[in-house]
mmCIF file with all atom_site columns, all heavy atoms in Angstrom:
data_model
loop_
_atom_site.group_PDB
_atom_site.id
_atom_site.type_symbol
_atom_site.label_atom_id
_atom_site.label_alt_id
_atom_site.label_comp_id
_atom_site.label_asym_id
_atom_site.label_entity_id
_atom_site.label_seq_id
_atom_site.pdbx_PDB_ins_code
_atom_site.Cartn_x
_atom_site.Cartn_y
_atom_site.Cartn_z
_atom_site.occupancy
_atom_site.B_iso_or_equiv
_atom_site.pdbx_formal_charge
_atom_site.auth_seq_id
_atom_site.auth_comp_id
_atom_site.auth_asym_id
_atom_site.auth_atom_id
_atom_site.pdbx_PDB_model_num
ATOM 1  N N   . THR A 1 2   ? 0.416   26.571  -47.920 1.00 0.00 ? 2   THR A N   1
ATOM 2  C CA  . THR A 1 2   ? 1.382   25.962  -48.818 1.00 0.00 ? 2   THR A CA  1
ATOM 3  C C   . THR A 1 2   ? 2.105   24.829  -48.046 1.00 0.00 ? 2   THR A C   1
ATOM 4  O O   . THR A 1 2   ? 2.623   25.088  -46.976 1.00 0.00 ? 2   THR A O   1
ATOM 5  C CB  . THR A 1 2   ? 2.425   27.017  -49.289 1.00 0.00 ? 2   THR A CB  1
ATOM 6  O OG1 . THR A 1 2   ? 1.712   28.024  -50.008 1.00 0.00 ? 2   THR A OG1 1
ATOM 7  C CG2 . THR A 1 2   ? 3.413   26.357  -50.198 1.00 0.00 ? 2   THR A CG2 1
ATOM 8  N N   . ASP A 1 7   ? 11.451  18.154  -45.127 1.00 0.00 ? 7   ASP A N   1
ATOM 9  C CA  . ASP A 1 7   ? 12.308  18.956  -44.246 1.00 0.00 ? 7   ASP A CA  1
ATOM 10 C C   . ASP A 1 7   ? 13.805  18.554  -44.266 1.00 0.00 ? 7   ASP A C   1
ATOM 11 O O   . ASP A 1 7   ? 14.624  19.254  -43.626 1.00 0.00 ? 7   ASP A O   1
ATOM 12 C CB  . ASP A 1 7   ? 11.791  18.908  -42.797 1.00 0.00 ? 7   ASP A CB  1
ATOM 13 C CG  . ASP A 1 7   ? 11.771  17.534  -42.232 1.00 0.00 ? 7   ASP A CG  1
ATOM 14 O OD1 . ASP A 1 7   ? 12.340  16.574  -42.803 1.00 0.00 ? 7   ASP A OD1 1
ATOM 15 O OD2 . ASP A 1 7   ? 11.210  17.307  -41.141 1.00 0.00 ? 7   ASP A OD2 1
ATOM 16 N N   . PHE A 1 67  ? -5.192  -13.939 -45.730 1.00 0.00 ? 67  PHE A N   1
ATOM 17 C CA  . PHE A 1 67  ? -5.214  -13.087 -44.573 1.00 0.00 ? 67  PHE A CA  1
ATOM 18 C C   . PHE A 1 67  ? -3.868  -12.541 -44.223 1.00 0.00 ? 67  PHE A C   1
ATOM 19 O O   . PHE A 1 67  ? -3.735  -11.394 -43.721 1.00 0.00 ? 67  PHE A O   1
ATOM 20 C CB  . PHE A 1 67  ? -5.835  -13.860 -43.381 1.00 0.00 ? 67  PHE A CB  1
ATOM 21 C CG  . PHE A 1 67  ? -7.320  -13.911 -43.374 1.00 0.00 ? 67  PHE A CG  1
ATOM 22 C CD1 . PHE A 1 67  ? -7.959  -15.062 -43.931 1.00 0.00 ? 67  PHE A CD1 1
ATOM 23 C CD2 . PHE A 1 67  ? -8.114  -12.850 -42.989 1.00 0.00 ? 67  PHE A CD2 1
ATOM 24 C CE1 . PHE A 1 67  ? -9.381  -15.120 -43.949 1.00 0.00 ? 67  PHE A CE1 1
ATOM 25 C CE2 . PHE A 1 67  ? -9.476  -12.942 -43.001 1.00 0.00 ? 67  PHE A CE2 1
ATOM 26 C CZ  . PHE A 1 67  ? -10.094 -14.035 -43.454 1.00 0.00 ? 67  PHE A CZ  1
ATOM 27 N N   . GLY A 1 77  ? -0.350  0.319   -44.479 1.00 0.00 ? 77  GLY A N   1
ATOM 28 C CA  . GLY A 1 77  ? -1.174  1.475   -44.250 1.00 0.00 ? 77  GLY A CA  1
ATOM 29 C C   . GLY A 1 77  ? -0.904  2.131   -42.932 1.00 0.00 ? 77  GLY A C   1
ATOM 30 O O   . GLY A 1 77  ? -0.857  3.374   -42.830 1.00 0.00 ? 77  GLY A O   1
ATOM 31 N N   . ASP A 1 103 ? 2.128   9.389   -30.466 1.00 0.00 ? 103 ASP A N   1
ATOM 32 C CA  . ASP A 1 103 ? 2.700   8.759   -31.609 1.00 0.00 ? 103 ASP A CA  1
ATOM 33 C C   . ASP A 1 103 ? 3.451   7.470   -31.250 1.00 0.00 ? 103 ASP A C   1
ATOM 34 O O   . ASP A 1 103 ? 3.317   6.425   -31.780 1.00 0.00 ? 103 ASP A O   1
ATOM 35 C CB  . ASP A 1 103 ? 3.606   9.725   -32.363 1.00 0.00 ? 103 ASP A CB  1
ATOM 36 C CG  . ASP A 1 103 ? 4.249   9.165   -33.646 1.00 0.00 ? 103 ASP A CG  1
ATOM 37 O OD1 . ASP A 1 103 ? 3.459   8.477   -34.378 1.00 0.00 ? 103 ASP A OD1 1
ATOM 38 O OD2 . ASP A 1 103 ? 5.429   9.363   -33.864 1.00 0.00 ? 103 ASP A OD2 1
ATOM 39 N N   . THR A 1 124 ? -0.584  -21.763 -27.413 1.00 0.00 ? 124 THR A N   1
ATOM 40 C CA  . THR A 1 124 ? 0.149   -22.651 -26.423 1.00 0.00 ? 124 THR A CA  1
ATOM 41 C C   . THR A 1 124 ? 0.882   -21.817 -25.450 1.00 0.00 ? 124 THR A C   1
ATOM 42 O O   . THR A 1 124 ? 1.231   -20.628 -25.721 1.00 0.00 ? 124 THR A O   1
ATOM 43 C CB  . THR A 1 124 ? 1.190   -23.505 -27.223 1.00 0.00 ? 124 THR A CB  1
ATOM 44 O OG1 . THR A 1 124 ? 2.166   -22.635 -27.791 1.00 0.00 ? 124 THR A OG1 1
ATOM 45 C CG2 . THR A 1 124 ? 0.515   -24.309 -28.329 1.00 0.00 ? 124 THR A CG2 1
ATOM 46 N N   . CYS A 1 156 ? 24.560  15.147  -37.889 1.00 0.00 ? 156 CYS A N   1
ATOM 47 C CA  . CYS A 1 156 ? 24.893  15.400  -39.247 1.00 0.00 ? 156 CYS A CA  1
ATOM 48 C C   . CYS A 1 156 ? 24.668  16.850  -39.590 1.00 0.00 ? 156 CYS A C   1
ATOM 49 O O   . CYS A 1 156 ? 25.298  17.409  -40.536 1.00 0.00 ? 156 CYS A O   1
ATOM 50 C CB  . CYS A 1 156 ? 24.038  14.549  -40.198 1.00 0.00 ? 156 CYS A CB  1
ATOM 51 S SG  . CYS A 1 156 ? 24.533  12.762  -40.187 1.00 0.00 ? 156 CYS A SG  1
ATOM 52 N N   . VAL A 1 178 ? 12.803  7.501   -20.718 1.00 0.00 ? 178 VAL A N   1
ATOM 53 C CA  . VAL A 1 178 ? 13.124  6.130   -21.209 1.00 0.00 ? 178 VAL A CA  1
ATOM 54 C C   . VAL A 1 178 ? 13.771  6.259   -22.643 1.00 0.00 ? 178 VAL A C   1
ATOM 55 O O   . VAL A 1 178 ? 14.711  5.558   -22.934 1.00 0.00 ? 178 VAL A O   1
ATOM 56 C CB  . VAL A 1 178 ? 11.886  5.249   -21.277 1.00 0.00 ? 178 VAL A CB  1
ATOM 57 C CG1 . VAL A 1 178 ? 12.182  3.968   -21.923 1.00 0.00 ? 178 VAL A CG1 1
ATOM 58 C CG2 . VAL A 1 178 ? 11.354  5.003   -19.867 1.00 0.00 ? 178 VAL A CG2 1
ATOM 59 N N   . ARG A 1 184 ? 23.535  9.559   -22.001 1.00 0.00 ? 184 ARG A N   1
ATOM 60 C CA  . ARG A 1 184 ? 24.704  9.856   -21.219 1.00 0.00 ? 184 ARG A CA  1
ATOM 61 C C   . ARG A 1 184 ? 25.970  9.174   -21.713 1.00 0.00 ? 184 ARG A C   1
ATOM 62 O O   . ARG A 1 184 ? 27.074  9.683   -21.506 1.00 0.00 ? 184 ARG A O   1
ATOM 63 C CB  . ARG A 1 184 ? 24.431  9.514   -19.758 1.00 0.00 ? 184 ARG A CB  1
ATOM 64 C CG  . ARG A 1 184 ? 24.190  8.099   -19.468 1.00 0.00 ? 184 ARG A CG  1
ATOM 65 C CD  . ARG A 1 184 ? 23.934  7.856   -17.953 1.00 0.00 ? 184 ARG A CD  1
ATOM 66 N NE  . ARG A 1 184 ? 23.666  6.465   -17.603 1.00 0.00 ? 184 ARG A NE  1
ATOM 67 C CZ  . ARG A 1 184 ? 22.466  5.910   -17.663 1.00 0.00 ? 184 ARG A CZ  1
ATOM 68 N NH1 . ARG A 1 184 ? 21.427  6.649   -18.060 1.00 0.00 ? 184 ARG A NH1 1
ATOM 69 N NH2 . ARG A 1 184 ? 22.318  4.674   -17.312 1.00 0.00 ? 184 ARG A NH2 1
ATOM 70 N N   . PRO A 1 213 ? 27.284  1.730   -39.080 1.00 0.00 ? 213 PRO A N   1
ATOM 71 C CA  . PRO A 1 213 ? 26.530  1.075   -37.980 1.00 0.00 ? 213 PRO A CA  1
ATOM 72 C C   . PRO A 1 213 ? 25.032  1.485   -37.995 1.00 0.00 ? 213 PRO A C   1
ATOM 73 O O   . PRO A 1 213 ? 24.182  0.695   -37.637 1.00 0.00 ? 213 PRO A O   1
ATOM 74 C CB  . PRO A 1 213 ? 27.182  1.642   -36.710 1.00 0.00 ? 213 PRO A CB  1
ATOM 75 C CG  . PRO A 1 213 ? 27.991  2.841   -37.152 1.00 0.00 ? 213 PRO A CG  1
ATOM 76 C CD  . PRO A 1 213 ? 28.401  2.557   -38.559 1.00 0.00 ? 213 PRO A CD  1
ATOM 77 N N   . PRO A 1 248 ? 18.516  -12.664 -33.310 1.00 0.00 ? 248 PRO A N   1
ATOM 78 C CA  . PRO A 1 248 ? 19.277  -11.868 -34.306 1.00 0.00 ? 248 PRO A CA  1
ATOM 79 C C   . PRO A 1 248 ? 19.127  -10.373 -34.127 1.00 0.00 ? 248 PRO A C   1
ATOM 80 O O   . PRO A 1 248 ? 20.109  -9.650  -34.257 1.00 0.00 ? 248 PRO A O   1
ATOM 81 C CB  . PRO A 1 248 ? 18.701  -12.342 -35.673 1.00 0.00 ? 248 PRO A CB  1
ATOM 82 C CG  . PRO A 1 248 ? 18.086  -13.678 -35.388 1.00 0.00 ? 248 PRO A CG  1
ATOM 83 C CD  . PRO A 1 248 ? 17.597  -13.610 -33.996 1.00 0.00 ? 248 PRO A CD  1
ATOM 84 N N   . LEU A 1 253 ? 21.334  -5.058  -32.529 1.00 0.00 ? 253 LEU A N   1
ATOM 85 C CA  . LEU A 1 253 ? 21.292  -3.857  -31.679 1.00 0.00 ? 253 LEU A CA  1
ATOM 86 C C   . LEU A 1 253 ? 22.616  -3.676  -30.958 1.00 0.00 ? 253 LEU A C   1
ATOM 87 O O   . LEU A 1 253 ? 23.227  -2.612  -30.964 1.00 0.00 ? 253 LEU A O   1
ATOM 88 C CB  . LEU A 1 253 ? 20.152  -3.940  -30.679 1.00 0.00 ? 253 LEU A CB  1
ATOM 89 C CG  . LEU A 1 253 ? 20.165  -2.840  -29.620 1.00 0.00 ? 253 LEU A CG  1
ATOM 90 C CD1 . LEU A 1 253 ? 19.793  -1.507  -30.245 1.00 0.00 ? 253 LEU A CD1 1
ATOM 91 C CD2 . LEU A 1 253 ? 19.159  -3.169  -28.474 1.00 0.00 ? 253 LEU A CD2 1
#
Side-chain angles (χ1 to χ4, degrees):
T2 300
D7 62 9
F67 279 98
D103 183 43
T124 65
C156 287
V178 173
R184 64 180 179 272
L253 173 68

